[in-house]
Amino acid sequence: MSKITDRFTHFSQEPLYNTKAVVQRTGVAADTLRAWERRYGVPFPERTEGRQRAYSDRDIAIIDWLRQQTESGLTISQAVALLQTDSIIEQPTYDLAPLAELSNDCVQALLSFDVLKAEDILNQAFSIYPVETVCIEVIERVMVAIGDGWHAGKISISQEHAATAFMSLKLSNLIHQARTRSNRGVIVVATVPGEQHELGVMMVALFLMRRGWRVVYLGSNLPASELLHTVQRLNPKLVALSATTKDNYSQAVHLLQELHNVPKPPIIGYGGAALSGTTQQTVLPGIFLGYNAGQACDKIEELLA
């Protein structure tokens, strides 16, 4: 197993960025950066002739990693110790019962078209739990409950569309905040042609960005020819595709085969309800990534290790 510090060795150490640029890219406040530097010696930027701090791509990657660890529940001192010693610190466990209550409350707020209340509920969850936990234990559960209600005829199309639009906007904002100029590698993420459901694949893109990958997210219902052109142009390390409805299964099979046949094909991963059956996993070209965004990201990092 590679050491934690190994993930930063390929980043440039050339001091290129001032503090403002680092704040914009990592979301870590300038005062926090200086406090970490004083107390823990991390990061340790070089100084210009005018005594201004100058950070490298490696500094930015380390800062972003520390931010992710503190958001997952570690103290900054634990995160720095983990970075410096490569020891394993037991990750905190969370009581998920309050999340189930928040999920139920969010469903009721969205069914009442009360987006302000739904926003307050999600903000409350994000203030307590890591982003990934909220996405899987609240957002995903909310949308499954609303989808099941719609299929059962208990929820109107308007309610389902309003809830989907709300969650899509929330995830889009999180993706925007998570973007980084990491050199860790390019991953292309998209749905198959014809697929309109993208919340799950948006979570995959978000989680990968928060782990330091450069993700090119192409959204839903992209024509196969466009996706193939983009893959050949970018030469990504991996392409991750999603299909949730059975109607799109044949499109998924065709696209996976086309990707498999391109010159120097990338690693191909797939997920979504339409592709998650045991039979599909044995016959489809590519690798099944898991049943939720967290599993998908773990599998992707395992494939790219």
Side-chain angles (χ1 to χ4, degrees), residues 172-212:
S172 294
N173 289 336
L174 290 170
I175 286 172
H176 177 72
Q177 294 168 11
R179 291 193 185 280
T180 178
R181 291 186 181 274
S182 169
N183 292 326
R184 204 172 174 201
V186 177
I187 298 173
V188 170
V189 178
T191 73
V192 302
E195 181 64 56
Q196 299 293 342
H197 298 86
E198 62 174 329
L199 295 184
V201 78
M202 289 178 77
M203 290 184 195
V204 173
L206 171 63
F207 293 3
L208 288 171
M209 288 177 184
R210 285 172 51 78
R211 297 187 186 196

Side-chain angles (χ1 to χ4, degrees), residues 24 69 71 115 123 154 159 164 206 210 256 279 301:
Q24 290 175 338
Q69 302 313 302
E71 288 180 353
V115 294
N123 287 342
K154 298 178 181 179
Q159 289 172 311
T164 299
L206 171 63
R210 285 172 51 78
L256 289 169
T279 301
E301 292 209 307

Side-chain angles (χ1 to χ4, degrees), residues 24-302:
Q24 290 175 338
R25 294 186 183 190
T26 66
V28 178
D31 289 345
T32 301
L33 291 174
R34 289 191 287 269
W36 290 357
E37 184 181 337
R38 286 195 309 271
R39 296 174 187 173
Y40 307 106
V42 179
F44 195 73
E46 295 190 26
R47 299 281 183 151
T48 66
E49 292 183 0
R51 301 301 299 162
Q52 300 298 312
R53 290 173 174 84
Y55 296 83
S56 66
D57 283 316
R58 182 178 294 187
D59 291 326
I60 290 175
I62 290 173
I63 292 165
D64 198 53
W65 184 86
L66 290 170
R67 174 188 60 77
Q68 293 175 35
Q69 302 313 302
T70 58
E71 288 180 353
S72 72
L74 295 182
T75 66
I76 183 59
S77 60
Q78 287 175 321
V80 170
L82 185 60
L83 178 69
Q84 293 175 336
T85 66
D86 289 318
S87 60
I88 298 175
I89 295 178
E90 184 177 354
Q91 294 293 317
T93 57
Y94 299 98
D95 180 4
L96 299 183
L99 283 172
E101 184 177 345
L102 290 171
S103 175
N104 293 333
D105 291 344
C106 192
V107 169
Q108 296 308 312
L110 290 173
L111 293 182
S112 300
F113 300 100
D114 191 345
V115 294
L116 292 178
K117 183 176 180 180
E119 180 75 22
D120 288 342
I121 292 168
L122 285 186
N123 287 342
Q124 180 183 351
F126 283 123
S127 71
I128 303 171
Y129 300 95
V131 167
E132 290 80 1
T133 301
V134 177
C135 284
I136 293 172
E137 298 294 337
V138 179
I139 294 178
E140 188 173 293
R141 288 178 180 273
V142 166
M143 296 313 299
V144 167
I146 289 177
D148 289 346
W150 177 75
H151 284 295
K154 298 178 181 179
I155 292 174
S156 70
I157 295 176
S158 294
Q159 289 172 311
E160 190 275 336
H161 279 208
T164 299
F166 170 81
M167 290 302 189
S168 179
L169 180 59
K170 189 67 178 177
L171 289 172
S172 294
N173 289 336
L174 290 170
I175 286 172
H176 177 72
Q177 294 168 11
R179 291 193 185 280
T180 178
R181 291 186 181 274
S182 169
N183 292 326
R184 204 172 174 201
V186 177
I187 298 173
V188 170
V189 178
T191 73
V192 302
E195 181 64 56
Q196 299 293 342
H197 298 86
E198 62 174 329
L199 295 184
V201 78
M202 289 178 77
M203 290 184 195
V204 173
L206 171 63
F207 293 3
L208 288 171
M209 288 177 184
R210 285 172 51 78
R211 297 187 186 196
W213 293 97
R214 182 189 164 201
V215 176
V216 177
Y217 177 59
L218 300 177
S220 63
N221 196 22
L222 184 73
S225 59
E226 285 294 321
L227 188 140
L228 290 168
H229 174 74
T230 302
V231 168
Q232 290 176 311
R233 176 183 176 183
L234 296 177
N235 191 27
K237 289 180 175 290
L238 181 143
V239 177
L241 297 175
S242 173
T244 64
T245 58
K246 293 181 180 179
D247 292 342
N248 295 318
Y249 179 74
S250 60
Q251 290 271 28
V253 174
H254 176 74
L255 182 54
L256 289 169
Q257 191 61 57
E258 288 288 312
L259 284 168
H260 182 71
N261 292 335
V262 302
K264 297 181 180 179
I267 298 172
I268 304 166
Y270 60 84
L275 309 177
S276 61
T278 303
T279 301
Q280 288 94 324
Q281 293 176 38
T282 59
V283 300
L284 288 174
I287 301 165
F288 178 63
L289 297 177
Y291 296 95
N292 63 40
Q295 292 178 10
C297 291
D298 289 344
K299 184 64 176 180
I300 287 169
E301 292 209 307
E302 175 186 324

